[in-house]
Amino acid sequence: MFRRIRIAGFAAALVAAAACGAPSASAHPRPGCTTRTSLGLVAGTARAGICAFRGIPYAAPPVGDRRFRPPQPVRPWHGTLTADDDTRVCPQERDEMSEDYPDRRQIYADEDCLYLNVWTPRPDRAKRPVIVFIHGGAARFGTANEPRYDGTRLATSGDAVVVSLNYRLGVFGWTELGGVDPSYRGSGNNGLRDQIAALTWVRQHVADFGGDPSQVTAVGESEGAFSLSAMLATDHPERLFRRVILESGNGSLVHSAAMERKLAASFPVRSIARLKAMSTTELIDLGNKAAASLPGSAGGALYFGPYVDGTLVRGSVTRRVAAGNARGVDLLIGTNKDEMNFFGQYDPRGLDRLAAEYDGFFPPELAARRPRMTAVYRKRRTARDAALAMFTDQGLRVPATRLAEAQSRWRPTYAYEFDWRPPKGVGAVHTIELPFVFGTLRFTGIEGGAEALKTDRARLTRLSDQMVDAWTSFARTGDPNGRRTVARPSWPAYQVPRRTTMMWNLRPGTAKDPRGAERALWDGYPFDAFDL
Protein backbone atom coordinates (compact mmCIF):
# COMPACT_ATOMS: atom_id res chain seq x y z
CA MET A 1 0.00 0.00 0.00
CA PHE A 2 2.77 2.44 0.92
CA ARG A 3 4.70 1.72 -2.27
CA ARG A 4 2.67 1.51 -5.46
CA ILE A 5 4.11 -1.42 -7.31
CA ARG A 6 4.29 -1.60 -11.10
CA ILE A 7 5.21 -5.16 -12.04
CA ALA A 8 6.84 -5.57 -15.45
CA GLY A 9 7.73 -9.13 -16.29
CA PHE A 10 9.36 -10.15 -13.01
CA ALA A 11 6.35 -10.26 -10.68
CA ALA A 12 7.32 -13.56 -9.14
CA ALA A 13 10.78 -12.28 -8.25
CA LEU A 14 9.34 -9.20 -6.61
CA VAL A 15 6.84 -11.20 -4.59
CA ALA A 16 9.63 -13.47 -3.41
CA ALA A 17 11.79 -10.50 -2.45
CA ALA A 18 8.94 -8.91 -0.50
CA ALA A 19 8.38 -12.14 1.38
CA CYS A 20 12.00 -12.01 2.53
CA GLY A 21 11.69 -8.45 3.83
CA ALA A 22 13.10 -6.67 0.76
CA PRO A 23 10.92 -3.85 -0.59
CA SER A 24 9.28 -4.38 -3.94
CA ALA A 25 9.87 -1.86 -6.70
CA SER A 26 8.72 -0.73 -10.11
CA ALA A 27 10.60 -1.70 -13.26
CA HIS A 28 11.10 1.79 -14.66
CA PRO A 29 12.48 4.95 -13.06
CA ARG A 30 10.36 8.06 -12.93
CA PRO A 31 12.17 10.83 -14.86
CA GLY A 32 13.25 14.06 -13.17
CA CYS A 33 13.15 13.00 -9.52
CA THR A 34 15.13 9.76 -9.55
CA THR A 35 18.27 8.96 -7.61
CA ARG A 36 20.53 5.95 -7.20
CA THR A 37 21.34 4.69 -3.71
CA SER A 38 23.38 1.68 -2.61
CA LEU A 39 20.03 -0.03 -1.95
CA GLY A 40 18.63 0.64 -5.42
CA LEU A 41 17.04 3.30 -7.58
CA VAL A 42 14.36 5.51 -6.00
CA ALA A 43 11.85 7.58 -7.95
CA GLY A 44 10.01 10.48 -6.37
CA THR A 45 7.48 13.04 -7.52
CA ALA A 46 8.06 16.60 -8.69
CA ARG A 47 5.83 18.97 -6.77
CA ALA A 48 5.99 22.67 -5.87
CA GLY A 49 9.47 23.00 -7.32
CA ILE A 50 11.02 20.17 -5.34
CA CYS A 51 11.34 16.39 -5.45
CA ALA A 52 9.31 14.53 -2.84
CA PHE A 53 10.11 10.90 -2.04
CA ARG A 54 7.34 9.44 0.10
CA GLY A 55 7.68 6.01 1.64
CA ILE A 56 11.29 4.83 1.54
CA PRO A 57 11.95 1.84 3.81
CA TYR A 58 14.79 2.41 6.28
CA ALA A 59 14.49 -0.94 8.12
CA ALA A 60 13.05 -4.37 7.50
CA PRO A 61 9.33 -4.77 8.34
CA PRO A 62 9.12 -5.42 12.13
CA VAL A 63 6.67 -8.29 11.70
CA GLY A 64 6.62 -11.99 12.52
CA ASP A 65 9.73 -12.98 14.45
CA ARG A 66 10.90 -9.34 14.26
CA ARG A 67 7.97 -8.11 16.39
CA PHE A 68 9.38 -6.62 19.63
CA ARG A 69 12.92 -6.95 18.26
CA PRO A 70 15.38 -4.16 17.40
CA PRO A 71 15.09 -2.86 13.83
CA GLN A 72 16.92 -4.89 11.20
CA PRO A 73 18.56 -3.58 8.01
CA VAL A 74 16.43 -3.17 4.93
CA ARG A 75 17.45 -5.31 1.98
CA PRO A 76 18.31 -3.86 -1.44
CA TRP A 77 15.68 -4.00 -4.16
CA HIS A 78 15.67 -4.68 -7.88
CA GLY A 79 14.32 -2.18 -10.37
CA THR A 80 13.11 1.20 -9.13
CA LEU A 81 11.31 1.90 -5.87
CA THR A 82 8.44 4.28 -6.62
CA ALA A 83 8.30 6.44 -3.50
CA ASP A 84 4.96 8.18 -3.93
CA ASP A 85 2.72 6.81 -1.18
CA ASP A 86 2.13 8.88 1.96
CA THR A 87 -0.43 6.74 3.76
CA ARG A 88 1.71 4.54 6.01
CA VAL A 89 0.86 4.97 9.71
CA CYS A 90 2.28 2.80 12.51
CA PRO A 91 -0.38 0.86 14.47
CA GLN A 92 -2.66 3.05 16.55
CA GLU A 93 -6.26 3.96 17.15
CA ARG A 94 -7.14 7.25 15.49
CA ASP A 95 -6.73 10.32 17.74
CA GLU A 96 -9.03 12.75 15.97
CA MET A 97 -8.35 15.71 18.24
CA SER A 98 -4.57 15.73 18.16
CA GLU A 99 -3.31 14.25 14.89
CA ASP A 100 -3.55 15.33 11.24
CA TYR A 101 -3.90 11.93 9.57
CA PRO A 102 -3.45 11.40 5.82
CA ASP A 103 -6.78 9.57 5.46
CA ARG A 104 -9.99 8.69 7.32
CA ARG A 105 -9.15 5.26 8.73
CA GLN A 106 -10.19 4.74 12.35
CA ILE A 107 -7.71 1.94 13.12
CA TYR A 108 -4.22 1.66 11.66
CA ALA A 109 -3.17 -1.97 11.87
CA ASP A 110 -0.23 -2.47 9.48
CA GLU A 111 2.94 -3.18 11.43
CA ASP A 112 5.06 -2.81 8.28
CA CYS A 113 5.52 0.91 8.88
CA LEU A 114 9.23 1.77 9.19
CA TYR A 115 9.42 4.24 6.32
CA LEU A 116 10.64 7.78 5.86
CA ASN A 117 10.02 10.69 3.51
CA VAL A 118 12.49 13.02 1.80
CA TRP A 119 11.91 16.47 0.31
CA THR A 120 14.78 17.97 -1.65
CA PRO A 121 15.23 20.81 -4.16
CA ARG A 122 17.12 18.31 -6.33
CA PRO A 123 18.64 14.86 -5.81
CA ASP A 124 22.08 16.12 -6.79
CA ARG A 125 25.40 16.41 -4.94
CA ALA A 126 24.91 19.95 -3.62
CA LYS A 127 25.55 19.04 0.05
CA ARG A 128 22.60 20.93 1.48
CA PRO A 129 21.87 21.03 5.21
CA VAL A 130 19.62 18.17 6.34
CA ILE A 131 16.65 18.51 8.70
CA VAL A 132 15.26 15.26 10.15
CA PHE A 133 11.91 15.53 11.94
CA ILE A 134 10.69 13.07 14.59
CA HIS A 135 7.00 13.47 15.37
CA GLY A 136 5.31 13.52 18.75
CA GLY A 137 2.11 11.88 19.96
CA ALA A 138 2.84 10.35 23.39
CA ALA A 139 4.64 7.42 21.67
CA ARG A 140 1.12 6.17 20.91
CA PHE A 141 -0.15 8.36 18.09
CA GLY A 142 0.96 10.26 15.02
CA THR A 143 2.88 9.66 11.83
CA ALA A 144 5.46 11.27 9.59
CA ASN A 145 2.73 11.44 6.95
CA GLU A 146 0.60 14.11 8.58
CA PRO A 147 -0.03 16.99 6.15
CA ARG A 148 1.02 19.51 8.80
CA TYR A 149 4.52 17.96 8.67
CA ASP A 150 4.95 18.44 4.92
CA GLY A 151 8.58 19.41 4.36
CA THR A 152 8.10 21.44 1.18
CA ARG A 153 8.34 24.87 2.76
CA LEU A 154 11.42 24.08 4.85
CA ALA A 155 13.14 22.53 1.84
CA THR A 156 12.43 25.43 -0.51
CA SER A 157 12.95 28.33 1.90
CA GLY A 158 16.06 26.86 3.47
CA ASP A 159 17.50 25.13 0.39
CA ALA A 160 17.60 22.06 2.60
CA VAL A 161 16.87 18.36 2.47
CA VAL A 162 14.03 17.52 4.85
CA VAL A 163 13.34 14.03 6.19
CA SER A 164 10.46 12.75 8.33
CA LEU A 165 10.17 9.26 9.75
CA ASN A 166 7.82 6.75 11.33
CA TYR A 167 8.76 4.67 14.35
CA ARG A 168 6.98 1.94 16.29
CA LEU A 169 4.42 3.17 18.80
CA GLY A 170 2.81 1.90 21.98
CA VAL A 171 3.32 -1.73 22.94
CA PHE A 172 5.15 -2.41 19.66
CA GLY A 173 8.06 -0.07 20.34
CA TRP A 174 8.10 0.90 24.01
CA THR A 175 7.34 -2.16 26.19
CA GLU A 176 10.19 -3.66 28.20
CA LEU A 177 9.91 -7.43 27.96
CA GLY A 178 13.31 -8.41 29.32
CA GLY A 179 11.70 -9.53 32.57
CA VAL A 180 9.52 -11.95 30.63
CA ASP A 181 12.30 -13.26 28.39
CA PRO A 182 15.93 -12.09 28.84
CA SER A 183 16.52 -12.26 25.08
CA TYR A 184 14.10 -9.32 24.72
CA ARG A 185 16.01 -7.10 27.15
CA GLY A 186 15.98 -3.53 25.90
CA SER A 187 12.72 -3.87 23.94
CA GLY A 188 11.36 -0.89 25.89
CA ASN A 189 13.64 1.32 23.80
CA ASN A 190 12.95 -0.24 20.39
CA GLY A 191 11.05 2.86 19.28
CA LEU A 192 14.21 4.82 20.06
CA ARG A 193 16.27 2.29 18.15
CA ASP A 194 13.96 2.74 15.16
CA GLN A 195 14.69 6.46 15.20
CA ILE A 196 18.43 5.79 15.50
CA ALA A 197 18.18 3.38 12.56
CA ALA A 198 16.49 6.10 10.50
CA LEU A 199 19.16 8.65 11.45
CA THR A 200 21.81 6.10 10.49
CA TRP A 201 20.05 5.63 7.15
CA VAL A 202 20.19 9.40 6.67
CA ARG A 203 23.92 9.47 7.32
CA GLN A 204 24.44 6.67 4.80
CA HIS A 205 22.11 7.78 2.01
CA VAL A 206 21.14 11.45 2.25
CA ALA A 207 23.99 12.49 -0.06
CA ASP A 208 22.10 10.68 -2.83
CA PHE A 209 19.25 13.16 -2.30
CA GLY A 210 21.39 16.31 -2.30
CA GLY A 211 22.10 16.43 1.43
CA ASP A 212 25.28 16.76 3.46
CA PRO A 213 25.54 13.85 5.93
CA SER A 214 27.89 15.93 8.10
CA GLN A 215 25.27 18.68 8.49
CA VAL A 216 22.29 16.82 9.99
CA THR A 217 19.93 18.67 12.33
CA ALA A 218 17.47 16.43 14.17
CA VAL A 219 14.21 18.15 15.16
CA GLY A 220 11.80 16.57 17.61
CA GLU A 221 8.52 17.76 19.05
CA SER A 222 7.00 16.37 22.26
CA GLU A 223 7.72 12.62 22.22
CA GLY A 224 10.13 13.22 19.37
CA ALA A 225 11.98 15.71 21.58
CA PHE A 226 11.95 13.31 24.54
CA SER A 227 13.54 10.74 22.25
CA LEU A 228 16.20 13.08 20.92
CA SER A 229 16.94 14.12 24.51
CA ALA A 230 17.47 10.46 25.34
CA MET A 231 19.90 10.20 22.42
CA LEU A 232 21.95 12.99 23.97
CA ALA A 233 22.59 10.55 26.83
CA THR A 234 23.80 7.76 24.53
CA ASP A 235 27.45 7.21 23.70
CA HIS A 236 28.72 9.68 21.09
CA PRO A 237 25.44 11.31 20.01
CA GLU A 238 27.40 13.31 17.43
CA ARG A 239 27.50 10.10 15.37
CA LEU A 240 23.81 10.68 14.67
CA PHE A 241 23.52 14.43 14.18
CA ARG A 242 25.46 17.66 14.41
CA ARG A 243 22.60 19.76 15.74
CA VAL A 244 19.36 19.23 17.66
CA ILE A 245 16.17 21.28 17.97
CA LEU A 246 13.96 20.23 20.87
CA GLU A 247 10.41 21.57 20.75
CA SER A 248 8.42 21.00 23.96
CA GLY A 249 10.50 18.13 25.20
CA ASN A 250 13.52 17.42 27.38
CA GLY A 251 15.31 14.75 29.33
CA SER A 252 13.19 15.11 32.46
CA LEU A 253 10.42 13.13 30.77
CA VAL A 254 12.65 10.24 29.76
CA HIS A 255 11.55 7.40 32.05
CA SER A 256 13.76 6.45 34.94
CA ALA A 257 14.88 2.84 35.19
CA ALA A 258 12.74 2.48 38.32
CA MET A 259 9.60 3.66 36.54
CA GLU A 260 10.23 1.33 33.62
CA ARG A 261 10.59 -1.58 36.04
CA LYS A 262 7.26 -0.66 37.63
CA LEU A 263 5.53 -0.48 34.26
CA ALA A 264 7.09 -3.74 33.11
CA ALA A 265 6.06 -5.54 36.31
CA SER A 266 2.48 -4.39 35.92
CA PHE A 267 2.20 -5.25 32.24
CA PRO A 268 -0.74 -7.68 32.04
CA VAL A 269 0.69 -10.21 29.57
CA ARG A 270 3.62 -12.31 30.83
CA SER A 271 4.19 -14.55 27.82
CA ILE A 272 6.18 -13.69 24.71
CA ALA A 273 4.42 -16.45 22.80
CA ARG A 274 1.05 -14.96 23.65
CA LEU A 275 2.17 -11.45 22.72
CA LYS A 276 3.48 -12.66 19.37
CA ALA A 277 0.21 -14.51 18.75
CA MET A 278 -2.01 -11.49 19.48
CA SER A 279 -3.41 -9.53 16.56
CA THR A 280 -2.31 -5.98 15.86
CA THR A 281 -5.62 -4.56 17.03
CA GLU A 282 -5.47 -6.61 20.24
CA LEU A 283 -2.05 -5.12 20.98
CA ILE A 284 -3.31 -1.60 20.25
CA ASP A 285 -6.14 -2.17 22.72
CA LEU A 286 -3.71 -3.60 25.27
CA GLY A 287 -1.57 -0.48 24.98
CA ASN A 288 -4.54 1.84 25.36
CA LYS A 289 -5.61 0.06 28.53
CA ALA A 290 -2.09 0.15 29.93
CA ALA A 291 -1.77 3.89 29.29
CA ALA A 292 -5.10 4.48 31.00
CA SER A 293 -3.63 3.03 34.21
CA LEU A 294 -1.65 6.23 34.82
CA PRO A 295 -3.61 9.01 36.51
CA GLY A 296 -5.07 12.03 34.75
CA SER A 297 -5.19 13.35 31.23
CA ALA A 298 -1.45 13.92 31.08
CA GLY A 299 -0.67 10.55 32.64
CA GLY A 300 -1.79 8.63 29.59
CA ALA A 301 0.55 10.76 27.52
CA LEU A 302 3.55 9.62 29.56
CA TYR A 303 3.11 5.85 29.82
CA PHE A 304 5.22 4.99 26.76
CA GLY A 305 8.57 6.51 25.88
CA PRO A 306 12.35 6.11 26.11
CA TYR A 307 13.92 5.12 29.39
CA VAL A 308 17.30 5.11 31.09
CA ASP A 309 18.32 1.51 30.52
CA GLY A 310 22.02 2.00 31.35
CA THR A 311 23.06 0.40 28.08
CA LEU A 312 21.70 2.57 25.28
CA VAL A 313 20.52 5.55 27.34
CA ARG A 314 23.33 5.69 29.86
CA GLY A 315 21.89 7.97 32.53
CA SER A 316 20.19 11.25 33.32
CA VAL A 317 20.11 13.37 30.18
CA THR A 318 20.82 16.71 31.85
CA ARG A 319 23.61 15.29 34.02
CA ARG A 320 25.34 13.66 31.05
CA VAL A 321 24.95 16.77 28.92
CA ALA A 322 26.36 18.92 31.74
CA ALA A 323 29.36 16.56 31.86
CA GLY A 324 30.01 17.12 28.15
CA ASN A 325 28.48 13.97 26.65
CA ALA A 326 26.99 16.01 23.78
CA ARG A 327 29.78 18.55 23.47
CA GLY A 328 29.81 18.04 19.69
CA VAL A 329 26.11 18.91 19.26
CA ASP A 330 24.58 22.38 18.82
CA LEU A 331 21.27 22.87 20.67
CA LEU A 332 18.15 24.96 20.12
CA ILE A 333 15.41 24.30 22.66
CA GLY A 334 12.11 25.83 23.71
CA THR A 335 8.57 25.48 24.97
CA ASN A 336 5.16 27.05 24.55
CA LYS A 337 3.80 29.36 27.22
CA ASP A 338 0.66 27.35 28.06
CA GLU A 339 1.78 23.80 27.22
CA MET A 340 -0.44 21.88 29.61
CA ASN A 341 -3.63 23.68 28.58
CA PHE A 342 -3.54 21.43 25.52
CA PHE A 343 -5.03 18.64 27.64
CA GLY A 344 -7.99 20.79 28.68
CA GLN A 345 -9.16 21.92 25.25
CA TYR A 346 -12.63 21.32 23.82
CA ASP A 347 -14.18 20.67 27.24
CA PRO A 348 -15.87 23.56 29.06
CA ARG A 349 -14.53 22.24 32.36
CA GLY A 350 -11.32 20.83 30.93
CA LEU A 351 -8.92 23.37 32.43
CA ASP A 352 -10.56 23.05 35.86
CA ARG A 353 -10.22 19.27 35.72
CA LEU A 354 -6.61 19.50 34.56
CA ALA A 355 -5.67 21.90 37.35
CA ALA A 356 -7.22 19.55 39.90
CA GLU A 357 -5.14 16.67 38.51
CA TYR A 358 -1.90 18.54 39.14
CA ASP A 359 -1.79 17.36 42.77
CA GLY A 360 -1.00 13.87 41.48
CA PHE A 361 2.05 15.12 39.57
CA PHE A 362 3.59 17.61 41.98
CA PRO A 363 6.91 16.25 43.33
CA PRO A 364 6.44 15.03 46.92
CA GLU A 365 10.04 16.04 47.64
CA LEU A 366 8.95 19.67 47.29
CA ALA A 367 5.85 19.43 49.50
CA ALA A 368 7.29 21.77 52.13
CA ARG A 369 8.03 24.35 49.46
CA ARG A 370 4.68 24.19 47.75
CA PRO A 371 2.81 26.92 49.68
CA ARG A 372 5.56 29.43 48.96
CA MET A 373 5.78 28.38 45.33
CA THR A 374 2.03 28.62 44.87
CA ALA A 375 1.99 32.10 46.40
CA VAL A 376 4.50 33.32 43.82
CA TYR A 377 2.58 31.80 40.90
CA ARG A 378 -0.66 33.28 42.27
CA LYS A 379 0.61 36.88 42.09
CA ARG A 380 -0.75 37.40 38.59
CA ARG A 381 -3.07 34.42 38.19
CA THR A 382 -6.18 32.69 39.46
CA ALA A 383 -5.71 29.53 41.51
CA ARG A 384 -6.53 27.41 38.46
CA ASP A 385 -4.16 29.25 36.13
CA ALA A 386 -1.41 29.16 38.76
CA ALA A 387 -1.70 25.36 38.97
CA LEU A 388 -1.59 25.07 35.17
CA ALA A 389 1.46 27.35 34.96
CA MET A 390 3.23 25.25 37.61
CA PHE A 391 2.29 22.11 35.68
CA THR A 392 3.84 23.54 32.50
CA ASP A 393 6.95 24.74 34.29
CA GLN A 394 7.51 21.46 36.08
CA GLY A 395 6.98 19.28 33.04
CA LEU A 396 8.54 21.30 30.26
CA ARG A 397 9.74 24.88 30.70
CA VAL A 398 12.09 24.69 33.69
CA PRO A 399 13.71 21.38 32.65
CA ALA A 400 14.30 22.94 29.22
CA THR A 401 16.18 25.82 30.84
CA ARG A 402 18.24 23.29 32.80
CA LEU A 403 19.21 21.47 29.61
CA ALA A 404 20.00 24.75 27.86
CA GLU A 405 22.19 25.78 30.79
CA ALA A 406 23.96 22.42 30.77
CA GLN A 407 24.77 22.47 27.06
CA SER A 408 25.68 26.17 27.00
CA ARG A 409 28.85 25.19 28.89
CA TRP A 410 30.03 23.33 25.81
CA ARG A 411 28.33 24.71 22.68
CA PRO A 412 26.36 27.81 21.63
CA THR A 413 22.80 27.11 22.74
CA TYR A 414 19.59 28.96 21.89
CA ALA A 415 16.33 29.06 23.84
CA TYR A 416 12.84 30.19 22.87
CA GLU A 417 9.30 30.49 24.16
CA PHE A 418 6.31 30.50 21.81
CA ASP A 419 3.69 32.92 23.13
CA TRP A 420 1.12 33.51 20.37
CA ARG A 421 -2.34 32.29 21.32
CA PRO A 422 -5.52 32.13 19.22
CA PRO A 423 -8.02 34.76 20.43
CA LYS A 424 -10.65 32.06 20.94
CA GLY A 425 -8.35 29.33 22.23
CA VAL A 426 -7.02 28.40 25.66
CA GLY A 427 -3.48 29.66 25.22
CA ALA A 428 -0.17 28.92 23.53
CA VAL A 429 -0.68 25.20 24.02
CA HIS A 430 1.40 22.12 23.31
CA THR A 431 2.00 21.63 19.53
CA ILE A 432 0.98 25.20 18.61
CA GLU A 433 4.40 26.04 17.15
CA LEU A 434 4.28 23.21 14.59
CA PRO A 435 2.11 24.95 11.93
CA PHE A 436 4.57 27.86 12.00
CA VAL A 437 7.79 25.82 11.97
CA PHE A 438 6.69 23.81 8.93
CA GLY A 439 4.96 26.73 7.25
CA THR A 440 1.85 24.64 6.64
CA LEU A 441 -0.37 26.68 9.00
CA ARG A 442 -2.50 23.61 9.67
CA PHE A 443 -3.91 24.00 13.20
CA THR A 444 -5.00 20.44 13.96
CA GLY A 445 -5.53 20.04 17.69
CA ILE A 446 -5.35 23.79 18.39
CA GLU A 447 -8.67 25.24 19.54
CA GLY A 448 -9.32 28.51 17.72
CA GLY A 449 -6.31 28.17 15.42
CA ALA A 450 -8.09 27.73 12.10
CA GLU A 451 -10.45 30.60 12.92
CA ALA A 452 -7.50 32.86 13.77
CA LEU A 453 -5.86 32.03 10.44
CA LYS A 454 -8.96 33.13 8.54
CA THR A 455 -8.98 36.54 10.19
CA ASP A 456 -5.23 37.19 10.55
CA ARG A 457 -3.50 35.24 7.78
CA ALA A 458 -0.97 37.93 6.84
CA ARG A 459 0.49 38.31 10.32
CA LEU A 460 0.49 34.58 11.04
CA THR A 461 2.23 33.96 7.71
CA ARG A 462 4.88 36.53 8.60
CA LEU A 463 5.49 34.83 11.96
CA SER A 464 5.82 31.50 10.19
CA ASP A 465 8.28 33.00 7.69
CA GLN A 466 10.43 34.24 10.55
CA MET A 467 10.44 30.89 12.35
CA VAL A 468 11.17 28.89 9.20
CA ASP A 469 14.06 31.25 8.52
CA ALA A 470 15.44 30.83 12.06
CA TRP A 471 15.12 27.04 12.06
CA THR A 472 16.75 26.62 8.64
CA SER A 473 19.50 29.12 9.53
CA PHE A 474 20.31 27.07 12.61
CA ALA A 475 20.36 23.89 10.51
CA ARG A 476 22.80 25.48 8.07
CA THR A 477 25.21 27.19 10.48
CA GLY A 478 24.42 26.27 14.08
CA ASP A 479 23.29 29.85 14.60
CA PRO A 480 19.66 30.97 14.02
CA ASN A 481 21.05 34.38 13.02
CA GLY A 482 23.36 32.90 10.42
CA ARG A 483 21.26 33.23 7.28
CA ARG A 484 18.50 35.74 7.82
CA THR A 485 16.47 36.14 4.63
CA VAL A 486 13.46 37.82 6.28
CA ALA A 487 13.34 40.65 8.80
CA ARG A 488 13.44 39.34 12.36
CA PRO A 489 15.17 40.21 15.62
CA SER A 490 18.66 39.03 16.47
CA TRP A 491 18.66 35.94 18.71
CA PRO A 492 21.53 35.88 21.25
CA ALA A 493 22.79 32.61 22.67
CA TYR A 494 21.52 31.38 26.03
CA GLN A 495 23.99 32.00 28.83
CA VAL A 496 23.71 32.21 32.61
CA PRO A 497 22.90 34.62 34.22
CA ARG A 498 21.26 36.58 31.37
CA ARG A 499 19.33 33.59 30.01
CA THR A 500 18.28 35.49 26.88
CA THR A 501 15.25 33.81 25.30
CA MET A 502 13.52 34.47 21.97
CA MET A 503 9.83 35.13 22.57
CA TRP A 504 7.92 34.14 19.44
CA ASN A 505 4.76 36.15 18.88
CA LEU A 506 3.29 38.43 16.22
CA ARG A 507 6.03 40.87 17.23
CA PRO A 508 8.89 38.60 18.26
CA GLY A 509 11.67 39.82 20.49
CA THR A 510 14.01 38.66 23.22
CA ALA A 511 13.65 38.67 26.99
CA LYS A 512 16.19 38.13 29.72
CA ASP A 513 15.27 35.24 32.00
CA PRO A 514 11.50 35.39 31.39
CA ARG A 515 9.52 34.72 34.58
CA GLY A 516 12.83 34.12 36.31
CA ALA A 517 11.37 34.33 39.83
CA GLU A 518 9.13 31.37 39.04
CA ARG A 519 11.93 29.45 37.35
CA ALA A 520 14.13 29.91 40.43
CA LEU A 521 11.51 28.33 42.69
CA TRP A 522 12.51 24.96 41.24
CA ASP A 523 16.22 25.38 42.01
CA GLY A 524 17.69 22.29 43.61
CA TYR A 525 15.12 19.89 42.18
CA PRO A 526 17.11 17.61 39.83
CA PHE A 527 14.65 16.87 36.98
CA ASP A 528 16.77 13.78 36.28
CA ALA A 529 14.14 11.46 34.80
CA PHE A 530 10.42 10.82 34.93
CA ASP A 531 8.96 8.71 37.71
CA LEU A 532 5.42 8.62 39.02
Side-chain angles (χ1 to χ4, degrees):
M1 177 177 61
F2 197 73
R3 302 174 303 280
R4 294 176 186 163
I5 302 169
R6 298 182 178 90
I7 298 177
F10 56 103
L14 290 180
V15 170
C20 293
S24 52
S26 68
H28 304 291
R30 178 167 295 180
C33 291
T34 300
T35 190
R36 182 180 296 277
T37 75
S38 61
L39 295 169
L41 283 168
V42 186
T45 304
R47 60 173 74 169
I50 66 163
C51 289
F53 299 83
R54 308 298 297 267
I56 304 173
Y58 69 82
V63 299
D65 288 339
R66 290 189 288 266
R67 185 189 262 183
F68 309 122
R69 294 292 191 183
Q72 299 300 307
V74 66
R75 296 178 61 182
W77 52 83
H78 301 286
T80 298
L81 179 73
T82 302
D84 65 351
D85 192 331
D86 59 1
T87 61
R88 185 71 66 178
V89 176
C90 284
Q92 62 191 271
E93 189 176 82
R94 186 183 191 88
D95 182 359
E96 192 75 57
M97 290 295 184
S98 301
E99 307 301 329
D100 190 18
Y101 292 100
D103 55 38
R104 300 303 305 171
R105 283 177 286 172
Q106 296 302 305
I107 297 286
Y108 296 90
D110 189 350
E111 294 178 48
D112 178 10
C113 66
L114 299 185
Y115 297 84
L116 53 77
N117 308 313
V118 180
W119 293 264
T120 179
R122 286 170 301 283
D124 51 22
R125 293 285 170 171
K127 291 190 174 182
R128 297 176 181 85
V130 180
I131 299 171
V132 181
F133 179 69
I134 302 178
H135 71 81
R140 295 171 60 200
F141 306 106
T143 172
N145 291 309
E146 300 191 27
R148 63 176 167 176
Y149 303 148
D150 187 284
T152 300
R153 178 71 185 289
L154 286 170
T156 54
S157 296
D159 190 30
V161 176
V162 179
V163 181
S164 65
L165 60 100
N166 284 342
Y167 56 93
R168 280 175 285 181
L169 303 171
V171 171
F172 303 92
W174 305 98
T175 301
E176 180 52 54
L177 300 172
V180 178
D181 181 336
S183 73
Y184 284 82
R185 184 169 291 117
S187 61
N189 272 330
N190 278 345
L192 191 66
R193 289 186 173 87
D194 291 345
Q195 298 166 16
I196 291 172
L199 286 163
T200 302
W201 185 99
V202 168
R203 282 289 185 125
Q204 294 171 343
H205 301 291
V206 79
D208 300 319
F209 296 84
D212 184 348
S214 70
Q215 296 286 348
V216 174
T217 297
V219 183
E221 187 272 336
S222 192
E223 193 66 51
F226 306 159
S227 296
L228 287 174
S229 296
M231 290 182 211
L232 295 178
T234 64
D235 288 338
H236 304 292
E238 71 279 359
R239 79 197 188 281
L240 301 172
F241 36 68
R242 183 168 180 177
R243 303 180 179 101
V244 166
I245 299 177
L246 303 179
E247 301 174 19
S248 303
N250 57 77
S252 74
L253 291 172
V254 173
H255 291 182
S256 69
M259 178 168 178
E260 198 67 20
R261 285 193 296 269
K262 294 174 195 172
L263 296 178
S266 65
F267 195 67
V269 179
R270 308 300 297 170
S271 163
I272 295 293
R274 183 182 169 197
L275 283 168
K276 291 177 70 173
M278 293 175 74
S279 70
T280 306
T281 53
E282 286 175 327
L283 287 173
I284 293 171
D285 185 57
L286 182 65
N288 291 340
K289 291 177 180 176
S293 68
L294 289 188
S297 305
L302 297 170
Y303 186 92
F304 295 108
Y307 81 101
V308 178
D309 58 7
T311 303
L312 180 63
V313 184
R314 293 289 196 171
S316 159
V317 172
T318 300
R319 288 181 186 271
R320 286 184 65 82
V321 168
N325 192 68
R327 68 185 70 189
V329 179
D330 301 323
L331 175 64
L332 189 156
I333 184 169
T335 56
N336 304 334
K337 187 174 183 180
D338 308 298
E339 294 272 9
M340 294 307 300
N341 292 15
F342 176 86
F343 297 98
Q345 298 182 105
Y346 305 108
D347 178 349
R349 301 287 297 172
L351 296 182
D352 294 329
R353 172 183 45 77
L354 191 63
E357 292 173 357
Y358 180 49
D359 285 346
F361 288 87
F362 187 81
E365 302 93 320
L366 300 182
R369 264 196 235 178
R370 189 171 182 180
R372 178 169 60 88
M373 295 174 72
T374 301
V376 175
Y377 277 89
R378 280 293 310 272
K379 285 181 179 178
R380 299 184 303 275
R381 302 179 182 92
T382 64
R384 183 194 74 181
D385 290 348
L388 294 174
M390 291 178 72
F391 211 164
T392 289
D393 279 6
Q394 177 186 326
L396 292 165
R397 185 177 80 98
V398 176
T401 67
R402 296 281 183 85
L403 191 56
E405 180 178 345
Q407 185 64 350
S408 68
R409 303 172 188 174
W410 303 99
R411 297 290 298 170
T413 297
Y414 299 87
Y416 75 87
E417 179 176 282
F418 189 90
D419 284 356
W420 176 80
R421 56 180 297 164
K424 296 185 179 180
V426 295
V429 301
H430 195 58
T431 78
I432 198 171
E433 86 290 353
L434 288 169
F436 297 91
V437 168
F438 279 91
T440 56
L441 294 179
R442 294 178 65 93
F443 288 93
T444 303
I446 307 298
E447 187 176 17
E451 186 175 352
L453 181 62
K454 291 179 182 178
T455 61
D456 204 8
R457 180 177 291 272
R459 291 200 299 171
L460 297 189
T461 299
R462 183 171 65 247
L463 175 57
S464 176
D465 291 344
Q466 292 170 324
M467 296 188 72
V468 166
D469 193 57
W471 263 235
T472 55
S473 292
F474 180 78
R476 183 173 295 276
T477 67
D479 181 349
N481 306 291
R483 186 178 176 267
R484 280 188 280 182
T485 61
V486 299
R488 55 185 174 86
S490 177
W491 186 347
Y494 189 91
Q495 293 180 326
V496 176
R498 295 171 70 89
R499 300 180 183 272
T500 305
T501 303
M502 176 61 72
M503 313 298 283
W504 289 110
N505 210 321
L506 297 179
R507 292 184 178 179
T510 59
K512 296 175 184 176
D513 195 11
R515 300 189 302 287
E518 294 169 2
R519 174 196 54 75
L521 293 170
W522 301 90
D523 285 354
Y525 185 70
F527 291 109
D528 277 340
F530 180 65
D531 201 350
L532 188 65

